């Protein structure tokens, strides 16, 4: 499963990208608003850091406006993916851009029916929002399973990008189902590393090791001394 990060925070992106585990970045207008930075500037910096796809969302609501904004955003870097909302105009834009060879991420998906339309419109990625579904008491992961079944039945190329992820449990469930990608807030990716038994185990190993008085880096010399 590929892992994207869902943020425009450059220091988080640099830090997490250095782990070698980041396959792409997703952004949205709310995240850019929170950064209080000019969209062109912040997206260009993200594209400099991360080699994989960087999703940037149009903000026009009509097809012509989305096309104009999409073409403008594509000029930022060659790893830009254009994000459009799952509306009639959004999917018209998706079809037109996909026909021009542009990778489109269809966002704000909340049903398998919507996901089917996005795949037929040529989306490179569909972003179903599991957390926001659960916020209203609906079953986000049931939606993911249904989308996987539909896409597999018709061999759609559209990648399922599980979004609005609230914790490692969503990533694990999505991975068990075979979803292609999860996009994670940095805190969720950091949480995936954590387990109390790892911390306790490491503490015990280090305490036992300290009692030996040994050092790995000087052990080669010890072996040589021993041979002599
Ligand atoms: C995905 O592309 C969206 O930016 C994101 O996952 C939305 O998550 P939220 O529901 O936590 O805002």
């Amino acid at each position: 499963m590929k892992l994207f990060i869902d943020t425009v925070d450059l220091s988080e992106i640099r830090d997490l990208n250095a782990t070698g585990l980041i396959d792409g970045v997703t952004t949205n207008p709310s995240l850019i608003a929170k950064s209080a930075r000019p969209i062109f500037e912040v997206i260009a910096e993200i594209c400099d850091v991360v080699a994989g796809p960087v999703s940037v969302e149009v903000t026009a609501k009509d097809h012509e406006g989305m096309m104009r904004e999409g073409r403008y955003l594509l000029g930022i870097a060659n790893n830009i993916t254009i994000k459009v909302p799952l509306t009639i105009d959004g999917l018209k834009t998706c079809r037109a851009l996909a026909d021009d060879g542009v990778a489109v991420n269809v966002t704000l998906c909340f049903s398998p029916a919507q996901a089917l339309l996005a795949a037929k419109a040529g989306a490179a990625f569909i972003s179903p929002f599991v957390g926001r579904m659960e916020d209203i008491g609906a079953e986000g992961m049931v939606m993911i399973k249904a989308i996987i079944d539909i896409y597999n039945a018709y061999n759609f190329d559209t990648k399922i990008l599980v979004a609005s992820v609230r914790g490692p449990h969503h990533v694990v469930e999505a991975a068990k189902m075979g979803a292609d990608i999860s996009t994670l807030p940095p805190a969720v990716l950091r949480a995936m590393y954590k387990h109390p038994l790892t911390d306790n185990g490491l503490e015990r190993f280090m305490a036992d090791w300290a009692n030996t008085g040994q050092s790995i880096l000087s052990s080669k010399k010890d072996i040589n001394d021993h041979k002599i």
Side-chain angles (χ1 to χ4, degrees):
M1 168 183 258
K2 289 191 173 176
L3 298 178
F4 288 7
I5 38 174
D6 195 36
T7 184
V8 299
D9 181 331
L10 253 303
S11 73
E12 284 281 31
I13 291 172
R14 283 201 186 90
D15 210 32
L16 293 172
N17 190 56
T19 64
L21 298 177
I22 301 304
D23 300 298
V25 176
T26 53
T27 70
N28 65 42
S30 302
L31 291 171
I32 291 176
K34 205 169 125 198
S35 79
R37 297 193 57 201
I39 181 167
F40 204 94
E41 185 184 289
V42 73
I43 297 297
E45 284 179 32
I46 294 171
C47 291
D48 270 352
V49 176
V50 177
V54 175
S55 288
V56 197
E57 192 162 339
V58 295
T59 55
K61 287 167 93 175
D62 62 299
H63 171 59
E64 287 72 24
M66 287 182 191
M67 289 298 292
R68 274 198 301 276
E69 288 185 355
R71 290 198 180 106
Y72 186 74
L73 293 169
L74 283 169
I76 299 179
N78 58 15
N79 54 336
I80 292 286
T81 292
I82 301 299
K83 215 172 175 191
V84 299
L86 212 153
T87 59
I88 291 179
D89 285 66
L91 292 194
K92 269 172 75 177
T93 304
C94 177
R95 177 80 275 162
L97 290 174
D99 286 348
D100 282 350
V102 174
V104 180
N105 175 356
V106 176
T107 189
L108 292 169
C109 171
F110 293 94
S111 76
Q114 289 181 314
L116 172 59
L117 296 179
K120 285 181 66 66
F125 305 98
I126 181 69
S127 293
F129 280 35
V130 293
R132 292 194 198 186
M133 287 280 279
E134 292 175 3
D135 290 346
I136 61 158
E139 302 221 47
M141 295 315 299
V142 171
M143 167 180 62
I144 299 299
K145 177 70 172 74
I147 297 172
I148 290 172
D149 290 346
I150 293 168
Y151 282 14
N152 284 344
Y154 292 92
N155 282 323
F156 284 123
D157 290 332
T158 308
K159 301 290 180 214
I160 300 170
L161 201 178
V162 178
S164 190
V165 162
R166 299 286 158 78
H169 63 293
H170 281 145
V171 187
V172 171
E173 280 308 304
K176 278 160 65 183
M177 290 176 183
D180 302 289
I181 311 158
S182 280
T183 187
L184 322 178
V188 173
L189 182 57
R190 292 186 192 285
M192 286 176 71
Y193 283 92
K194 299 296 285 179
H195 195 286
L197 291 180
T198 305
D199 296 341
N200 293 348
L202 188 58
E203 243 173 67
R204 274 163 53 187
F205 284 156
M206 292 306 101
D208 290 342
W209 179 247
N211 286 337
T212 70
Q214 295 188 54
S215 141
I216 288 177
L217 292 181
S218 59
S219 61
K220 194 165 175 228
K221 182 184 157 297
D222 293 345
I223 289 168
N224 288 340
D225 289 353
H226 183 72
K227 275 185 196 152
I228 291 163

